[in-house]
Amino acid sequence: MMKHFEKPNIIEIIVHDLGTRLGCYGETTVETPNLDAFAGESIRFTHHFSASPYCCPSRGSIVTGKYPHVNGLTGLVPLGWNLPDHNVTLARILKSGGYETYLFGHQHEVIDRGQYQADFDYMSDESTMNSNLIVSEVNRFLADRQPSPAKPFFARIGFWEVHRPYEAYPKGDPLSVGVPGYLADTPGAREDLAMFHGSIKQMDQDIGQILNNLEKAGLKDNTIVVFTTDHGIDFPRAKGTLYDPGINTTLLVRWPQVCTNGRVVTDLLSNIDLFPTLLEAAGMPTPNDIQGRSFLPLLQGEEYTPRSYIFSEKNEVASDLKRCVRTKRHKYIQNFQEGPLLYMMPSMEASLTRRDMGNDHFAPRPRVELYDLDSDPLEFNNLAGLPEVAHIEKTLADQLRTIMEETADFILAGPIARPKEEEIVLREKYTHIKNHSSYPREGLRLPMELE
């Protein structure tokens, strides 16, 4: 175990809804010079996946190292869900091990921040979610920090960006944006993406400020900086789905004293793996009731046995519960209810992308989906039921069943109780879209049978 004064500082930055839409991940039409430069000093993980395609459950998995159905945060906090307090978080363990712990900006796991009093020595005001305000506070903290303090620190930084709405940010050029292959190339999608790129550009500038001030404070060399996001971008076939655009997420890790600059790692990782990795890096014991696996050997350039699969789950929509297992080559999704192929939450339903989509996504969803990611990376060609891949389908179905049984997944026994306010709030939001849309919605269907 490392000596006390040798423990690294840890900064964990979590932004909303980014997926992997950065220049360093191959998106050439978005301006992210600061994060691209940071990636050059970091290890970039290309196959890092969230345990859920929505913000709150995904973040709950990051802070506990557990799948959502294990830690209990299976829905959205604004709709009445909450991370049960019996979960021991990363911050709480680090604090018990001598770290000073700070929460700057946004968190999305608990309704009342008071629940985190035992986890953080300092928490910024709940209203401080905009990146400009957060950066100012973080920079003051770094300026006041001594390079060799008596205690190491853990600072968790949460931005509201790059969550919708995007209209407040300078818009990019709709004609020059890259439209992902899983989206139809429409005027609405291009306008939407151009505004989205404006939000990403602002976020990148603010991240750059934090990284620059960390270096000015003399803290860069002994600080692990993690940059990640909760799930995919808030566009159809991404956020809210178990397709790769919904769960493949950015992960950049810089640790100058340990990591080799600019390495790219293609091993499968889940965001539940961050929890044990950071604890091990800090010389702290890891709880034995988590599903996450430490990938510290990957940071150290040592021998590592990679995951053979990742698991992800969707519980946030009562009528669209699903589970998936993904290997390097195949994806198996089990849909537990009948319903539309894509269920879009209000922020996406109100978007310009949705305006130009029509209603094809209301086609019935299949019970099972199976994709060969080598030949079909966009996951359009469902192979489930074909005799020639029956052995693959059975193997993955058995693997998924084993995961659910070993972790006592509630879905095996049927749906669980949901907060009363969940359906009320959603209906109110969809009704508002129906009655006050920013564009004509004639002929466009809505979820929850409001039309």
Side-chain angles (χ1 to χ4, degrees):
M1 181 179 294
M2 290 177 287
K3 295 179 181 179
H4 180 78
F5 64 85
E6 293 176 332
K7 289 184 176 181
N9 304 311
I10 301 171
I11 294 178
E12 184 180 52
I13 304 172
I14 308 175
V15 301
H16 262 300
D17 297 23
L18 179 64
T20 59
R21 202 159 178 88
L22 296 172
C24 57
Y25 277 86
E27 179 44 63
T28 59
T29 66
V30 66
E31 295 181 53
T32 53
N34 293 291
L35 282 166
D36 296 346
F38 177 68
E41 299 179 340
S42 306
I43 298 180
R44 179 170 66 88
F45 296 89
T46 61
H47 286 67
H48 176 251
F49 295 87
S50 59
S52 172
Y54 280 110
C55 41
C56 304
S58 176
R59 290 163 184 258
S61 291
I62 292 173
V63 304
T64 65
K66 301 176 182 179
Y67 295 133
H69 70 264
V70 176
N71 66 38
L73 181 55
T74 56
L76 302 179
V77 170
L79 300 182
W81 294 85
N82 192 69
L83 180 68
D85 195 34
H86 63 73
N87 288 287
V88 179
T89 68
L90 174 64
R92 191 178 303 179
I93 296 176
L94 290 173
K95 183 178 178 180
S96 71
Y99 274 73
E100 293 179 358
T101 54
Y102 299 82
L103 173 60
F104 296 106
H106 191 46
Q107 64 81 27
H108 223 20
E109 308 90 52
V110 297
I111 296 173
D112 181 359
R113 280 198 174 201
Q115 183 175 322
Y116 272 167
Q117 289 293 338
D119 301 68
F120 293 99
D121 295 302
Y122 171 82
M123 292 185 284
S124 60
D125 186 85
E126 183 73 42
S127 63
T128 307
M129 294 195 301
N130 178 273
S131 62
N132 288 322
L133 299 175
I134 297 167
V135 166
S136 296
E137 188 170 24
V138 172
N139 287 343
R140 287 194 298 271
F141 163 75
L142 293 173
D144 293 340
R145 191 80 189 178
Q146 297 298 315
S148 300
K151 289 184 176 183
F153 70 84
F154 168 66
R156 179 178 160 193
I157 303 171
F159 283 6
W160 177 257
E161 285 84 2
V162 288
H163 199 289
R164 290 182 186 272
Y166 312 134
E167 284 80 2
Y169 305 93
K171 185 175 72 172
D173 178 11
L175 295 179
S176 67
V177 297
V179 180
Y182 55 86
L183 281 182
D185 189 345
T186 66
R190 286 187 167 275
E191 285 286 332
D192 228 355
L193 287 164
M195 290 187 289
F196 182 42
H197 281 195
S199 176
I200 295 174
K201 183 177 180 179
Q202 178 65 56
M203 177 272 295
D204 177 78
Q205 292 171 352
D206 292 330
I207 295 294
Q209 285 193 50
I210 292 174
L211 296 174
N212 288 336
N213 281 284
L214 180 71
E215 186 168 8
K216 287 180 182 178
L219 297 168
K220 176 181 176 179
D221 287 346
N222 193 39
T223 300
I224 300 172
V225 178
V226 175
F227 178 84
T228 191
T229 186
D230 41 17
H231 49 69
I233 67 176
D234 194 4
F235 284 77
R237 290 197 111 249
K239 178 178 179 177
T241 78
L242 297 183
Y243 304 127
D244 274 10
I247 59 175
N248 187 198
T249 52
T250 295
L251 179 62
L252 305 172
V253 181
R254 186 182 73 184
W255 189 2
Q257 293 182 345
V258 173
C259 298
T260 301
N261 290 357
R263 279 177 56 210
V264 177
V265 174
T266 62
D267 290 333
L268 290 172
L269 293 181
S270 171
N271 65 358
I272 59 175
D273 298 335
L274 272 172
F275 178 93
T277 302
L278 293 177
L279 286 179
E280 188 175 3
M284 302 289 294
T286 300
N288 58 15
D289 64 342
I290 65 171
Q291 291 77 56
R293 293 180 50 205
S294 172
F295 58 88
L296 183 63
L298 285 178
L299 301 183
Q300 297 170 325
E302 298 178 354
E303 186 176 346
Y304 171 77
T305 302
R307 283 180 171 273
S308 59
Y309 67 86
I310 61 94
F311 167 88
S312 191
E313 61 185 279
K314 178 180 179 180
N315 306 290
E316 295 76 12
V317 177
S319 60
D320 191 15
L321 306 181
K322 56 185 66 183
R323 303 287 185 266
C324 86
V325 63
R326 187 204 193 276
T327 66
K328 263 302 190 66
R329 179 168 178 177
H330 293 99
K331 168 85 64 64
Y332 177 89
I333 301 173
Q334 184 172 352
N335 297 301
F336 287 85
Q337 294 143 310
E338 295 180 352
L341 186 61
L342 293 181
Y343 187 107
M344 290 192 287
M345 293 292 267
S347 61
M348 195 185 302
E349 183 64 46
S351 71
L352 292 174
T353 302
R354 168 68 181 105
R355 182 196 68 187
D356 296 349
M357 279 179 62
N359 294 314
D360 288 350
H361 60 290
F362 280 91
R365 71 176 72 110
R367 184 184 65 83
V368 171
E369 300 174 62
L370 175 65
Y371 300 101
D372 184 332
L373 301 170
D374 283 353
S375 62
D376 179 30
L378 297 179
E379 298 165 271
F380 281 130
N381 184 23
N382 184 9
L383 304 177
L386 296 181
E388 56 266 36
V389 292
H391 62 294
I392 297 173
E393 183 175 338
K394 184 181 187 306
T395 297
L396 295 178
D398 290 346
Q399 178 67 72
L400 183 60
R401 180 81 183 189
T402 298
I403 297 167
M404 292 190 294
E405 289 178 347
E406 289 180 348
T407 57
D409 193 337
F410 69 83
I411 206 166
L412 296 174
I416 59 174
R418 309 183 73 90
K420 293 180 180 179
E421 58 264 45
E422 181 179 67
E423 183 175 355
I424 295 172
V425 172
L426 285 175
R427 285 191 175 275
E428 288 176 349
K429 288 180 178 292
Y430 286 123
T431 300
H432 181 81
I433 292 170
K434 180 180 180 179
N435 295 331
H436 304 284
S437 174
S438 61
Y439 56 81
R441 290 190 58 94
E442 184 177 356
L444 297 182
R445 296 180 60 187
L446 277 166
M448 303 182 74
E449 299 179 349
L450 286 176
E451 60 271 49

